[in-house]
Amino acid sequence: MGKYTDDEIRAMPKITAKIAADYLGISPMMVTLGMRNNVLPIGFAIKKEDRYNESWSYNIIPERLIAYNHGKINEVQVQNIEKSLNTIISQFEEMKRDLVFLLKENEELEG
């Protein structure tokens, strides 16, 4: 099976562990093990359990996959990006609360 291009990966609605393995040039089992143990920074595995069986689904993030394949990102960098995003989101929420408060206070002064 030929390698996928970055554009093909980005255009795929769903990326499987097999596609990721082909793209990274490693075995699907290694991708599966890495994702289950959170040591492969290209996505994450979610374990689904019900009364009768368990199954895994793999959420592979195309941008991470591409960066990882090109040696531009590692696990620590992914974690730092996510921490930064969480910080930005919380600061945005704080600014939003402040703005709503100021607008409400302004309405009360005018009304």
Side-chain angles (χ1 to χ4, degrees), residues 45-58:
I46 298 173
K47 188 176 184 179
K48 296 175 186 167
E49 289 184 83
D50 60 33
R51 193 179 301 168
Y52 305 107
N53 67 358
E54 70 174 40
S55 64
W56 291 82
S57 66
Y58 299 94

Side-chain angles (χ1 to χ4, degrees), residues 1 12 45 54 58 60 69 73 83 89 93-94 97:
M1 190 168 196
M12 287 179 186
E54 70 174 40
Y58 299 94
I60 298 171
N69 190 43
I73 200 162
K83 280 181 199 164
I89 290 165
E93 290 296 327
E94 199 174 305
R97 280 193 300 273

Side-chain angles (χ1 to χ4, degrees), residues 61-79:
I61 301 161
E63 289 73 21
R64 282 195 193 174
L65 188 68
I66 289 160
Y68 181 85
N69 190 43
H70 293 285
K72 295 178 187 163
I73 200 162
N74 62 36
E75 178 88 26
V76 173
Q77 289 169 313
V78 168
Q79 288 170 355

